[in-house]
Amino acid sequence: MDTKKILIVFLVLLILFGTIIRLVSLNKDITGEESDFIRPAMALQKTGSPAYYLSEQQPNFMGLLHPPMYISLLSLVFNKSIGEFSARIINILFSILTALLIFMFCANFIENKNKKIIGLIAISLFLINYFIFSSSIILDIDVLSMFF
């Protein structure tokens, strides 16, 4: 095998690793501030409004802390299934879609004969980056914002 084929195989393996590690991490417990997205999404799914009542510990708190687009997507997913797996799938899907956009950008706008390899390098670095990985498995609006 020549060096180019070895590089392509290595990059594809990195991309698969980045994707598989995300899929394995789907079924983690909801913790901390992640519930700030779950509660309004469940309220939107059940009542049609993302406003929710927290508890008697904070009787004056009722409302929405984040922009509604992500919460609306969560609510749509919760129409099919409510759980950690279904809640995290949105971020993983949008991180993979962002990786595809990066590849398409490289393949279409780079003026180089190796533009597809450059695209593979870019998305492999993107998918194995720790910060992108952690953002794609934590319930937060960051990955959705990154995509758009």
Side-chain angles (χ1 to χ4, degrees):
M1 279 174 111
D2 63 355
T3 309
K4 188 175 181 178
K5 288 183 182 179
I6 293 172
L7 177 64
I8 291 172
V9 169
F10 177 70
L11 294 173
V12 168
L13 288 175
L14 280 179
I15 293 166
L16 287 174
F17 173 74
T19 305
I20 289 170
I21 197 96
R22 282 169 174 75
L23 295 176
V24 169
S25 301
L26 272 173
N27 206 17
K28 303 292 181 195
D29 291 337
I30 304 294
T31 60
E33 294 178 356
E34 290 178 326
S35 62
D36 289 342
F37 293 99
I38 297 295
R39 287 187 193 121
M42 290 176 73
L44 183 63
Q45 188 250 344
K46 291 178 183 174
T47 67
S49 172
Y52 64 95
Y53 179 67
L54 191 58
S55 70
E56 288 298 322
Q57 294 175 355
Q58 297 175 338
N60 296 326
F61 178 77
M62 184 172 139
L64 183 62
L65 300 175
H66 298 285
M69 185 174 176
Y70 183 72
I71 292 166
S72 297
L73 282 173
L74 271 177
S75 176
L76 286 173
V77 170
F78 286 168
N79 283 331
K80 299 290 182 197
S81 171
I82 295 177
E84 294 87 0
F85 181 87
S86 56
R88 296 187 195 288
I89 197 73
I90 292 173
N91 284 5
I92 291 176
L93 176 67
F94 276 99
S95 68
I96 292 171
L97 287 174
T98 303
L100 290 174
L101 282 177
I102 291 169
F103 181 79
M104 289 173 25
F105 177 83
C106 292
N108 290 321
F109 293 113
I110 293 178
E111 299 291 332
N112 191 326
K113 65 178 182 165
N114 295 323
K115 58 187 175 183
K116 290 185 179 176
I117 292 177
I118 294 169
L120 286 175
I121 291 170
I123 64 173
S124 64
L125 291 175
F126 174 79
L127 287 174
I128 63 167
N129 182 309
Y130 172 75
F131 298 108
I132 301 300
F133 169 71
S134 63
S135 289
S136 67
I137 62 166
I138 293 174
L139 296 180
D140 200 7
I141 198 167
D142 295 342
V143 173
L144 189 68
S145 300
M146 174 182 56
F147 176 76
F148 288 104

